[in-house]
Every structure is written in C-alpha cells, then in structure tokens.
Amino acid sequence: MSEPRDQKLEMRNIPGMRSRERFVEAEHAQNVGDTLKRIIAYFIHEKILVFGMLAVVIFGTLCGVYAPSLQSNAIDIIAGTGSGQLNSTLLCMLAVYLLYSGCQLLQGLLSARLSQCIVKKMREELFGKIVDLPVRYLDVHSHGDVMSRMTNDVENISTTISQSLPSLFSGVLTIIGTALIMLWYCWQLAILSCATVILTLLATKFLSSKVRKYLRRRQMLLGQLNGTVEEMISGYRTVVAYNHQDITTENFCHTADSLTRAGIQTDIFSGVMGPIMNCIGNIGFVIIAAFGGYFSVHGLISVGVISAFIVYARQFSRPINELAQVYGQLQTAIAGAERVFAVLDEINEDKTGETLVQENDAAVTFHNVQFSYTPEHPVIRNFSLTVPSGKKVALVGATGSGKTTIVNLLMRFYDIDSGEIRINKQNIQDISRESLRQNMAIVLQDTVLFSSTVRENLKYGNPDATEEQLEKAVEMSRCREMIKMLPQGYDTVLTGSGENISQGQRQLLAIARAFVADPKILILDEATSNVDTRTEKAIQDAMQLVMENRTSITIAHRLSTVRDADLIVVMDHGEIVERGSHDELLSQKGKYYDLYMTQYKGFAT
C-alpha cells in the first residue's frame, strides 16, 4: 500500500540512522489507577486460584514468623530458663519449618499457574483484537511495536504475577508479623533493631538508583548493538558492495565497548548491594547481641529471645530489599499492561452491513470519489470510473498517483471521504466488509504465503474447495508441474512465508489461490513486478485465464501486462487524465504514450 506508506515516512526508522536516536528509555504508565483496576479484573476471573494463593501465602508467612519463637523456647529449655518438653518443641519446630517449605513450593506452583491463566486470556483477547483492527491501524503503527505488545509486554506481566506478587504479599505480611512479635517480646530491642532498617532503606535507595541508571543505559546500548547487527545482516550485500566492512566493524566495536563499560558499572553496583546488605545485617546482629546481652543480664529477656531476635532481624530486613525490587518490576508490568490495554481499546473494524446481492454480473462504479489519508492532503480527487461486468480494466501511472489507493477503497480497507462506490446497484458502504471481500480476490506485488502446506495455502480463500477445484486452478494457473516437483507435492510445507520456493513460484501459487477463491471481482496489484520476463509471460498467461469472464482491475507499471485490457485508465496525482484502449492511448500521444516510450523506446527515465 504505497500511498499510506509514503505519507508516514517520518514515523519510520531510516536505515543508517544513529541507533541512539532510535531507542528510548522504558515507558512508565500514565494512568496507574485505571490500569490496575483493569488488571484486577483479570484476577477476578481466576478468584479460586487467587484466594488459594493468598491462603498459602498467609499460612506460610505465619509459619515463618512462628518458627523462631519455637527456636527461642527450645533454647530457653536447654538453658533451664524455659518450661516445656524439649523433644516435643523440637518436633513442633521441625513440623513448622516443613510446612513453611511446603507453602513456599505450593506458592510458586499456584502463582505460576495463575500467571499463565491470566496471560493466556490476555493474549487471546489481544490477538483477537489485532485481527479485528482496521487496516489503517496497522498502516500507521510499527509492526514491531504491535508484536512487542503481544510478546514482551505480556511476558513482563506474566513474570510480575508469577514472581513479584507473591513476594509483595508475603513481604508485607512478614514485615507486619515480624514487627509485632518483636515488639511483643521486647519493644526496646525492637526499636534498636530498627536502626539497621533505616540504614538498609537508605543503602537500597542509593544503590537501586545507580543500578537503574546503568541498567537503562545497558539496555539502550544492547538494543543499539542488536540494531547494528540486524542492519548489517539484512543489508550485508550492500555493506560488502560499498566496502563498508571496516566502518561497520568499527561502529560495532564502539557500541560493544560502551556496552561493556555500562555492564561493568551495572554489575559493580549490583554486586556491592549484597555485601553492603550483609554488612548492615551484621551490624544489626552486633546491636542485638550487645543490647540483648545487657537486657538479659538485667532480666528483661531470656537468651532464647536474643536468638529469636537475630532471626527476626534478618527476616525483617530481607522483605524490604525484595519490595524495592518488586516496585521496579511492578512499574514495568503496569506500563506493559497499559500498552496492551491501549490496543484493546482501539475501535474494531466495522463489520455491520447488508449482504452483497448475488448476481451473475459484477459491475463496479466509482462516482466522484474523494479520499485522503490525512486531512487536507487529498490522494484521490473526483475519481469516476465504470468497470463493466466481466471486463478487464488496467490502472497505470507514476508511483504515488493513487492506483493502490483505489484498490484499498474498493476492498474497504479504507472508507471514502465523499462520493460513492457501487457494485451493480449496491453502495459498498452499505455492504458488510465480510460479504464484500468474500466476492473478491487479490494478488499483491509482495506475495503473502503462510507457513503451511501448499494445499492449505491454495484453499485459504475457499476452505471448502474440492480436490477437483484445486486441480482445475492449478492447471489454469500453470503451476501443476511446479507442484509436482516439490518434495511432497500439495503436502509440501512452505517455510518462512514460502522462502523455500522462488518468487515466480510464489506468484503462481497466489494466482492459483485467487482462482480457487472463484471471485466475482479480481484485483491484480503489480502481480508480475518482481519476476523475470520468462516467468512474467507464464504468469500473464495464467492471469488471462483467471480473469476470463471476471470483472478485473489490474495495477501495473509494466505496460506489457495491460495491452490486452478492455480499458486502460491513466492516473496522475489522484485523477484520471486519460482512458482508452492501448492503441487509442498511443495515438493520443499523451501521458500513456510517454510512459510507453519511456519503457520500450529507450527514452531517459
């Protein structure tokens, strides 16, 4: 679709552009509240799993908080200051720790299942939305960005649900439970222990900001490096042809060096965080040991309580560090969810309308059609044309003259601004897009085949086609011998959109697919522009048979493909400037004559 592509060049990446201009920092959610509400709605659909996971988290947290108390009691019994049976206390402590470990395992399994259920539903909704979006949306949005929302953004949400949310719930509960029991045992020692918590928060805030800074830079440079490699591989022939190997290598090494430095800086601050946290934790142990010993001597607490406080101090500081990491993951997930919801909120393609009346004839009439992709920049102006039923009409003209746009309007990929397009007596604006497209087939310049068998590709436009219809289409489109030469014939799987066959073979299969669809209206958009002259002749012969007794609209730059058309329409800047047969237009010596002479008489182009 050349016209919309031409008008949005400023939104696309230009090959060779410095990669640092093409990559931006990670997005942050603009509306956290509404996004969270919509995410919670997905959890409501899985409420059994959610409540199950919460119950396991709560029970596991209680076990984790209660276990050090049993340890304290056991130590006091050994020291002779506590009451109770040592064996039963130790068995109880063992049982609590086993339950705690079991809860951790079950929590991981439930959170993983919950994340996959939610992500499955989200992916299904997103994919279902994408296939219902109007063509305009995919024309003005980067395909890579749309795919990133389906993969990376949804995967970030999955990771957060499976890892971060359980840590968030258990972390908050552990902090609350640990703080309460520490205050219950000895509020003086609990307050002194909080000094290390303040140090932990300050150190975490400082180191986390540094890690995020260098991590963003590393991710940006990694994207830049990947972009350099991708450009080099996809444009390798151009790189070699212009002897740019050394320059490309130099640019790669420069980016790789910067990435190495950013990676080292990230690893330094990430690696320092652990030892610093351990150091602060050890300071906390010293405080607990010193003041705990003092309080024990004065009879405020027992030795077992000191032991429990050492465990609780570590248990209290660990969730704080985890919550700092969870916060960053939650931000990423919410931003990703917002991008996903932005697609889900797009307006679907309107599929309402009446059914196209089935008649033997299929005349197409354009009357005073006006259209623009962007306001105040008209692409089609006062376009009026009648394509009689069963006739072949060719649209020719310079690139950007509006030929492909006419096809877009007829297929209702876009709706006209004014005027009308009719099939027989029905305005296509009143016909549902589904009914309209069921009666049309299109063969594009860039042939699209799917990673499936030859048979399934041929039946794409008519799944109910019989073997007899397939054989007839293959015979008429001149690709019977080609299919016989394939390893498994009709059952040969086409890989990578047909990369295991030639361009000409793909084009012939596309024509056969259009024949199998048995349309009333056939559209050929530059169907032979990418093949050699011999293959072009075979494709032309096939197209003549397919177009026989069908209403056909052909778009072509090679005028050899339109000589036999019943009517040739010459377009320029969205308007019809000439119309007639091949011989009539040559005799007029106008625009068509100039195009013809340019191609066949050696005039300068």
Side-chain angles (χ1 to χ4, degrees), residues 531-583:
V531 296
D532 58 83
T533 306
R534 184 176 178 180
T535 306
E536 179 186 10
K537 181 65 170 63
I539 292 175
Q540 282 182 14
D541 293 341
M543 288 192 304
Q544 292 302 322
L545 292 171
V546 176
M547 289 188 293
E548 189 173 344
N549 298 322
R550 299 179 195 275
T551 305
S552 305
I553 298 177
T554 302
I555 297 174
H557 281 300
R558 293 184 183 179
L559 300 185
S560 60
T561 63
V562 300
R563 287 183 178 181
D564 297 329
D566 297 301
L567 176 66
I568 299 174
V569 176
V570 184
M571 296 185 64
D572 187 32
H573 294 93
E575 297 180 303
I576 297 176
V577 293
E578 291 177 355
R579 67 178 78 196
S581 68
H582 174 73
D583 293 333

Side-chain angles (χ1 to χ4, degrees), residues 448-461 467 470-471 473-474 477 479-480 482-495 498 500-501 505-506 508-510 512-513 516:
V448 177
L449 297 175
F450 299 94
S451 297
S452 186
T453 63
V454 171
R455 177 179 282 102
E456 288 171 345
N457 271 281
L458 291 176
K459 295 174 70 173
Y460 194 78
E467 288 297 318
L470 285 182
E471 288 291 338
V474 166
S477 57
C479 55
R480 178 188 295 277
M482 180 266 289
I483 293 177
K484 284 184 177 180
M485 292 174 63
L486 296 175
Q488 284 83 39
Y490 285 102
D491 295 319
T492 300
V493 176
L494 302 179
T495 59
N500 52 342
I501 59 177
Q505 290 173 327
R506 292 198 293 270
L508 285 172
L509 285 178
R513 178 172 61 190
V516 172

Side-chain angles (χ1 to χ4, degrees), residues 25-28 201-221 262-263 265-271 273 320-332:
E25 291 187 1
E27 293 181 83
H28 294 276
L201 291 173
L202 292 175
T204 300
K205 182 178 180 181
F206 173 76
L207 293 174
S208 296
S209 64
K210 291 293 184 182
V211 170
R212 281 196 297 271
K213 173 185 175 182
Y214 291 115
L215 184 61
R216 281 196 297 266
R217 177 166 174 76
R218 187 176 73 175
Q219 291 302 106
M220 181 192 71
L221 289 169
Q265 290 167 324
T266 303
D267 293 339
I268 286 174
F269 283 101
S270 297
M273 185 175 290
I320 294 175
N321 297 331
E322 291 179 352
L323 290 176
Q325 297 174 2
V326 167
Y327 177 73
Q329 292 177 341
L330 284 174
Q331 271 194 330
T332 302

Side-chain angles (χ1 to χ4, degrees), residues 176-413:
I176 294 172
T178 302
L180 290 174
I181 203 165
M182 287 172 72
L183 289 170
W184 181 70
Y185 270 126
C186 181
W187 64 268
Q188 299 94 330
L189 194 56
I191 292 174
L192 289 170
S193 299
C194 288
T196 58
V197 174
I198 295 173
L199 287 175
T200 300
L201 291 173
L202 292 175
T204 300
K205 182 178 180 181
F206 173 76
L207 293 174
S208 296
S209 64
K210 291 293 184 182
V211 170
R212 281 196 297 271
K213 173 185 175 182
Y214 291 115
L215 184 61
R216 281 196 297 266
R217 177 166 174 76
R218 187 176 73 175
Q219 291 302 106
M220 181 192 71
L221 289 169
L222 181 61
Q224 182 176 331
L225 193 72
N226 290 337
T228 302
V229 174
E230 182 184 358
E231 282 186 353
M232 191 279 292
I233 292 174
S234 61
Y236 182 70
R237 293 178 183 271
T238 304
V239 172
V240 173
Y242 285 91
N243 292 319
H244 269 238
Q245 295 96 318
D246 293 339
I247 296 175
T248 302
T249 303
E250 182 180 344
N251 290 337
F252 177 85
C253 291
H254 175 74
T255 306
D257 290 342
S258 300
L259 177 60
T260 301
R261 285 192 294 271
I264 291 172
Q265 290 167 324
T266 303
D267 293 339
I268 286 174
F269 283 101
S270 297
V272 163
M273 185 175 290
I276 289 180
M277 293 300 110
N278 287 334
C279 180
I280 294 174
N282 292 333
I283 292 173
F285 297 153
V286 171
I287 292 173
I288 292 171
F291 285 93
Y294 176 81
F295 293 150
S296 179
V297 169
H298 288 78
L300 292 176
I301 57 175
S302 66
V303 176
V305 172
I306 298 174
S307 171
F309 255 89
I310 291 175
V311 177
Y312 283 131
R314 182 181 294 276
Q315 196 167 275
F316 188 79
S317 60
R318 177 178 53 80
I320 294 175
N321 297 331
E322 291 179 352
L323 290 176
Q325 297 174 2
V326 167
Y327 177 73
Q329 292 177 341
L330 284 174
Q331 271 194 330
T332 302
I334 293 172
E338 191 172 62
R339 283 163 47 82
V340 170
F341 294 146
V343 177
L344 293 177
D345 290 339
E346 289 290 330
I347 299 174
N348 285 350
E349 186 177 58
D350 183 10
K351 294 186 177 181
T352 60
E354 59 193 37
T355 302
L356 180 64
V357 177
Q358 297 299 314
E359 300 180 18
N360 293 328
D361 296 335
V364 179
T365 305
F366 298 84
H367 180 66
N368 291 334
V369 173
Q370 303 269 4
F371 176 75
S372 58
Y373 289 105
T374 56
E376 300 178 359
H377 292 87
V379 177
I380 301 298
R381 304 176 179 86
N382 298 319
F383 186 90
S384 295
L385 173 67
T386 297
V387 183
S389 178
K391 298 298 182 181
K392 307 166 191 173
V393 172
L395 302 179
V396 300
T399 300
S401 59
K403 305 182 299 298
T404 299
T405 299
I406 293 298
V407 172
N408 291 341
L409 299 178
L410 180 58
M411 296 285 292
R412 287 196 70 189
F413 292 152

Side-chain angles (χ1 to χ4, degrees), residues 17-73:
M17 183 188 296
R18 300 295 293 175
S19 296
R20 66 175 61 94
E21 296 172 6
R22 291 183 286 154
F23 292 91
V24 295
E25 291 187 1
E27 293 181 83
H28 294 276
Q30 301 297 317
N31 195 334
V32 177
D34 289 343
T35 304
L36 282 175
K37 288 178 183 177
R38 296 185 66 171
I39 294 175
I40 290 171
Y42 285 91
F43 284 88
I44 293 174
H45 289 287
E46 303 294 338
K47 51 182 174 293
I48 295 176
L49 277 174
V50 171
F51 288 129
M53 188 184 74
L54 285 176
V56 170
V57 168
I58 292 171
F59 186 73
T61 302
L62 290 175
C63 289
V65 172
Y66 181 55
S69 298
L70 293 172
Q71 175 184 314
S72 170
N73 191 28

